[in-house]
């Protein structure tokens, strides 16, 4: 099985695609639930499959520290460990080193840091990051990059982007090609269109199996994010998948799909599910709100998940008030189902040639003040 | 459908039975998982069904305070609220009033107490307890009783037992008979054989659909508990189910089945599952123990649950070390499966006429120092 991406239909810049991997196919656009430490929080692997998700995201930084990449390899890889035979994408660890680790020292060749768990010292280089992802048996590995802080001056953003390019080339050298496995480059350049275009061009010159847009959802706002996509996507090859890292709300995802993005990951649906926030066809609701205490109706009458088909809002409210684990379990299940069905709905609309009407109808459905 | 209990086979004092209820049949001996606040902690209702459990236990004290009995009734009852169409037994609330509530005042007619949640004042009488259980739509209701403190003098135990008998009669008067629903009496009398026998005789005189043995597992020890069963069970009618409340370890359950008990509930398998303790055919293990960090083998090779068939011990260890909810979820699933299969194995041995050999083989399998 080759690692391959086929475009099934297009609608403007948007594509309906099929990603083929060593661990099975993925229809795009797709949302990848976070399985940070080797589990989608509050979900069994079977439950994740039932949401419709076909690819999940593991976290190199967390897994290298605990249980350890060598240990995951000894267990037969992350797929086997977490009972997820489907595709797994792993990030490079660079983002978490910058956001979680203590005493970071960045140099031209990599980054040295102390674990946030026990203070032990570790080093990530492009080659080591790719090796760890190999040990985890990642279907899709990511190059090590520096997620440029925001805001940054153009000069800071250029230096950071050029460092990431150097690391991208080294990551490519270190990556061991295997049938159905892939390595993605990451476009950087902050909010500067010329830097983004230059980053994309250079990465395409190196040649990757897919291209991610990184360094966004760091405070720049949706308009700036969309402007970066407009400046970046045209420079990426049509035959490779495009992945917008760490994004976002349903509204963000719709706009990004309209701009040609195929893959997403974000903490929102899982974290929101654990904190009683539900994403629905009618908007965002906080199930802790007292108005749900006596609500005998379903959370989202259009949803096929167990929280919506088996229970009423009053029960979900009760579970969160009582501090019961089943609240986070059911609401995570719901939010991931909503995100998956949102992506599948966009895909169907692209195929049907009516993406913009579908997007407008989705947005019109969000009735709450607390819109997604 | 009448509420009925049929004995399928006997082996000494032990019985293999079938309980028929308005919400479906239950094979006995059976273990009832706790669904204290309207959820078996860390489990979806589907997962509970997959363990094999056919009857769960709801808690009157917790549910009357939150979400409230009237609210549960408005939701269509506890079965509908928690998506559990099968039988539900509810306790009377008396035990939790004594162990959890603040400022309790016991009188001849009932108990007045303050909620441990918000300090609000409530009163439970035999009639009110039975009414609440009716509002919850309990398949099996329990009489309000006083769980005699341990230790107690014979005179204290007699006074307490006689109060419980008076309340049992009032509970019976208040109970609304409906096809397939039942009310159980509760034998008290502490560790005094004559009091236990007198309590049983008086309760049988009032007449109930089943008989529970209460006031045990409060510190008296297994030998004293078994002695109470030996003094009590012969006074209970063979045609009614017998329920040992709040018990216990696998070893307790085996001994109690050998003494003629049909039904059990206990916090052990669910609470242990949340704290990394696994009950298995080889004994009890704490999955946090470092010796499991590199263990690629299954927790219990004889077990059919997802924790054992889909994952290795090293993964379970990792989940608990990382504080992931999936650890409690999987280990609760495992422990409930172990308890269910333990009961089903005892039932099959009773039918096959080899209960004592089977019990000895189970006990011989527990190899760890930390035996269950």
């Amino acid at each position: 099985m080759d690692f391959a991406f086929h475009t099934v239909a297009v609608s403007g810049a948007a594509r309906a695609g099929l990603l083929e991997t060593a661990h099975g196919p993925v229809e795009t656009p797709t949302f990848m639930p976070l399985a940070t430490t080797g589990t989608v929080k509050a979900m069994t692997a079977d439950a994740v499959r039932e949401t419709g998700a076909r690819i999940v995201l593991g976290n190199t930084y967390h897994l290298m520290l605990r249980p350890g990449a060598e240990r995951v390899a000894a267990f037969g890889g992350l797929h086997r460990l977490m009972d997820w035979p489907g595709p797994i994408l792993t990030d490079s660890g660079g983002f978490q080193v910058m956001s979680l680790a203590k005493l970071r020292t960045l140099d031209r060749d990599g980054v040295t840091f102390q674990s946030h768990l026990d203070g032990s010292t570790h080093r990530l280089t492009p080659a080591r990051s790719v090796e760890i992802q190999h040990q985890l048996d990642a279907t899709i590995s990511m190059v090590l990059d520096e997620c440029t802080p925001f805001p940054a001056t153009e000069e800071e953003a250029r230096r950071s982007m050029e460092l990431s390019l150097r690391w991208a080339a080294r990551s490519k050298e270190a990556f061991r090609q295997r049938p159905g496995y892939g390595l993605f480059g990451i476009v950087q350049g902050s909010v500067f269109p010329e830097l983004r275009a230059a980053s994309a061009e250079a990465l395409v010159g190196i040649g990757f199996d897919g291209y991610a847009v990184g360094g966004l959802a760091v405070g720049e706002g949706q308009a700036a994010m969309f402007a970066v996509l407009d400046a970046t996507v045209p420079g990426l090859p049509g035959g490779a998948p495009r992945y917008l890292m760490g994004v976002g709300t349903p509204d963000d995802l719709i706009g990004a799909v309209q701009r040609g993005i195929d893959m997403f990951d974000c903490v929102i649906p899982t974290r929101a599910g654990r904190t009683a926030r539900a994403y629905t066809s009618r908007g965002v609701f906080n199930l802790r709100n007292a108005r749900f205490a006596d609500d005998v109706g379903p959370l989202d009458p259009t949803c096929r998940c167990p929280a919506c088909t088996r229970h009423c809002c009053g029960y979900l409210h009760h579970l969160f008030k009582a501090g019961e684990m089943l609240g986070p379990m059911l609401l995570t299940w719901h939010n991931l189902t909503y995100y998956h069905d949102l992506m599948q709905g966009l895909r169907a609309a692209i195929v049907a040639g009516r993406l913009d009407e579908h997007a407008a109808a989705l947005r019109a459905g969000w009735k709450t003040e607390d819109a997604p």
Side-chain angles (χ1 to χ4, degrees), chain A residues 19 36 57 74 88 99 103 130 147 151 155 159 163 166 175-176 183 201 203 242 261 268 305 310 319 330 334 355:
Chain A
L19 185 64
T36 305
L57 192 141
I88 299 176
S99 56
L103 288 181
V130 165
C147 181
E155 189 46 36
R159 276 201 306 270
L163 179 70
R166 189 159 56 240
F175 182 70
R176 282 176 262 179
L183 176 69
E201 185 179 359
L203 288 170
R242 302 163 187 157
I261 297 295
I268 284 179
C305 87
R310 307 282 191 86
L319 293 174
L330 286 174
H334 167 77
L355 176 61

Side-chain angles (χ1 to χ4, degrees), chain A residues 21-24 45 49 54 78-80 82-88 139:
Chain A
T21 79
H23 301 104
R49 276 184 282 273
R54 290 294 173 265
L78 196 50
H79 304 268
R80 188 161 165 194
M82 61 184 282
D83 183 32
W84 182 265
I88 299 176
T139 315

Side-chain angles (χ1 to χ4, degrees), chain A residues 107-339:
Chain A
D107 58 56
R108 279 178 54 94
D109 298 318
V111 57
T112 303
F113 63 94
Q114 289 187 353
S115 161
H116 73 289
L117 297 175
D118 62 7
S120 56
T121 299
H122 299 264
R123 181 163 172 80
L124 268 185
T125 62
R128 177 63 186 141
S129 172
V130 165
E131 183 192 9
I132 291 171
Q133 295 177 76
H134 185 91
Q135 290 172 308
L136 299 176
D137 195 25
T139 315
I140 299 175
S141 296
M142 301 300 298
V143 299
L144 185 67
D145 66 337
E146 188 198 18
C147 181
T148 309
F150 180 85
T153 66
E154 185 160 1
E155 189 46 36
E156 289 167 342
R158 179 186 306 277
R159 276 201 306 270
S160 172
M161 181 270 278
E162 289 173 349
L163 179 70
S164 287
L165 280 180
R166 189 159 56 240
W167 289 2
R170 292 191 186 170
S171 297
K172 173 82 184 280
E173 290 164 18
F175 182 70
R176 282 176 262 179
Q177 292 280 358
R178 288 145 292 158
Y181 287 75
L183 176 69
F184 281 21
I186 305 176
V187 178
Q188 291 288 353
S190 189
V191 294
F192 305 103
E194 296 76 13
L195 295 185
R196 288 283 177 177
S199 175
E201 185 179 359
L203 288 170
V204 173
I206 298 170
F208 290 96
D209 300 297
Y211 297 87
V213 184
L216 293 175
V218 289
E220 76 283 356
Q222 193 191 65
M225 178 174 75
F226 285 169
V228 167
L229 294 183
D230 290 335
T232 305
V233 169
L236 298 175
R242 302 163 187 157
Y243 161 32
L244 178 55
M245 304 181 80
V247 175
T249 65
D251 194 53
D252 292 337
L253 266 56
I254 293 170
V257 165
Q258 288 176 311
R259 287 166 176 83
I261 297 295
D262 309 300
M263 304 165 68
F264 301 89
D265 80 284
C266 188
V267 73
I268 284 179
T270 39
R271 178 174 291 166
R274 296 197 301 283
T275 54
R277 279 173 63 84
Y279 284 80
T280 81
S281 62
R282 296 177 297 172
V284 182
F285 300 102
N286 188 328
L287 268 300
R288 286 186 170 277
N289 193 305
R291 72 185 162 113
F292 291 112
D294 293 297
D295 189 342
V296 300
L299 171 58
D300 189 337
T302 71
C303 180
R304 62 186 166 80
C305 87
C308 294
T309 58
R310 307 282 191 86
H311 300 290
C312 62
C313 287
Y315 184 62
L316 299 172
H317 173 80
H318 167 63
L319 293 174
F320 278 101
K321 294 294 279 188
E324 289 288 354
M325 246 183 259
L326 187 58
M329 290 162 63
L330 286 174
L331 217 52
T332 301
W333 197 321
H334 167 77
N335 282 343
L336 288 180
T337 302
Y338 178 76
Y339 265 65

Side-chain angles (χ1 to χ4, degrees), chain A residues 62-85:
Chain A
H62 285 281
L63 292 167
M64 71 183 281
L65 298 181
R66 187 174 57 195
E70 283 72 17
R71 187 171 274 146
V72 173
F75 285 137
L78 196 50
H79 304 268
R80 188 161 165 194
L81 188 64
M82 61 184 282
D83 183 32
W84 182 265

